[in-house]
Every structure is written in C-alpha cells, then in structure tokens.
C-alpha cells in the first residue's frame, strides 16, 4: 500500500485524513500544496479517476478572491498554475484516488 495525501497543513479535512491513517499505523507520504503543486502528469493521473470539475474547489477563498465564479476558464490550466484551487485532501493509493474526507472508501482499501 502506497498512500499519498495531497493537501495543506491548515486544511481541517486533510488533518482528519492524516489522523485516519496514523490511527491505523499506515505509512503515508504527505504533499503540501503550499510548498509544491502538482505536475501535469500527476494531475492527468488523478483526472483519469476524478474529473476536473470535481477537483476544483468552487467554495474556497482563493476561488472567490479571484472572481472565478464570473469567469470562463480552462480548469486544468488553472489547477496547474494555482494548486491551492484543488479540493483537499486528495488521497492516492496507486491508481485509486479520492477527493475529500472519505474514510468509508479508505477502509475498503485496507480490507
């Protein structure tokens, strides 16, 4: 099992995801989006499972500050240029991916 949690240290949902795996003593790699965004390849791999429309966080402060609700834009391009627009946490286990806090799905991965 190769768990990767992508998010930010301040995100409550990301913190809950980290706690979920720590409580079960499952090693994971944490990727802080404030330090390093996703590469084009990583974003493409994630988008094979979850469409771009579900990856962009339309409720986040950053989205609203930029006035994106009133703009037409290429979602992939925006996510690559500003990874803080991603919904977090993104949890990867090989080719399996979830967005948001989804312990039910993660429990199935562990079974």
């Amino acid at each position: 099992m190769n768990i990767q949690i992508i998010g930010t240290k301040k995100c409550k949902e990301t913190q809950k995801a980290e706690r979920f795996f720590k409580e079960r003593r499952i090693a994971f790699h944490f990727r802080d989006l404030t330090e390093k965004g996703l590469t084009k390849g990583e974003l493409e791999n994630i988008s094979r499972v979850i469409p771009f429309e579900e990856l962009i966080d339309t409720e986040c402060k950053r989205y609203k500050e930029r006035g994106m609700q009133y703009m037409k834009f290429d979602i992939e391009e925006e996510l690559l240029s500003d990874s803080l627009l991603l919904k977090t946490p993104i949890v990867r286990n090989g080719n399996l991916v979830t967005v948001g806090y989804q312990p039910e799905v993660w429990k199935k991965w562990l079974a």
Side-chain angles (χ1 to χ4, degrees):
M1 187 168 284
N2 187 15
I3 302 291
Q4 181 182 30
I5 300 175
I6 303 167
T8 61
K9 288 185 164 88
K10 290 183 179 180
C11 172
K12 297 292 181 206
E13 298 293 297
T14 301
Q15 291 169 359
K16 287 185 344 188
E18 285 183 329
R19 193 174 319 116
F20 174 90
F21 290 103
K22 281 180 184 173
E23 286 172 353
R24 288 157 181 79
R25 293 192 171 101
I26 295 165
F28 60 86
H29 172 73
F30 177 71
R31 173 85 161 276
D32 192 344
L33 291 173
T34 57
E35 294 173 9
K36 186 176 182 217
L38 294 178
T39 64
K40 186 171 178 64
E42 288 171 321
L43 188 59
E44 285 173 359
N45 285 339
I46 292 168
S47 69
R48 286 188 189 123
V49 181
I50 297 166
F52 289 123
E53 293 76 21
E54 292 178 31
L55 288 173
I56 192 161
D57 189 354
T58 57
E59 301 300 313
C60 75
K61 185 177 170 186
R62 187 101 156 191
Y63 186 88
K64 292 174 181 165
E65 281 174 353
R66 292 179 57 187
M68 294 178 78
Q69 64 270 38
Y70 308 111
M71 298 166 41
K72 285 189 177 187
F73 55 87
D74 181 338
I75 296 174
E76 180 181 10
E77 205 174 281
E78 290 298 328
L79 291 175
L80 283 171
S81 66
D82 188 354
S83 57
L84 295 178
L85 290 170
L86 285 162
K87 278 185 190 169
T88 55
I90 296 172
V91 180
R92 296 176 68 187
N93 178 17
N95 291 332
L96 304 171
V97 182
T98 61
V99 174
Y101 182 70
Q102 297 192 19
E104 327 72 48
V105 178
W106 305 332
K107 284 177 185 171
K108 289 177 188 169
W109 292 356
L110 305 176

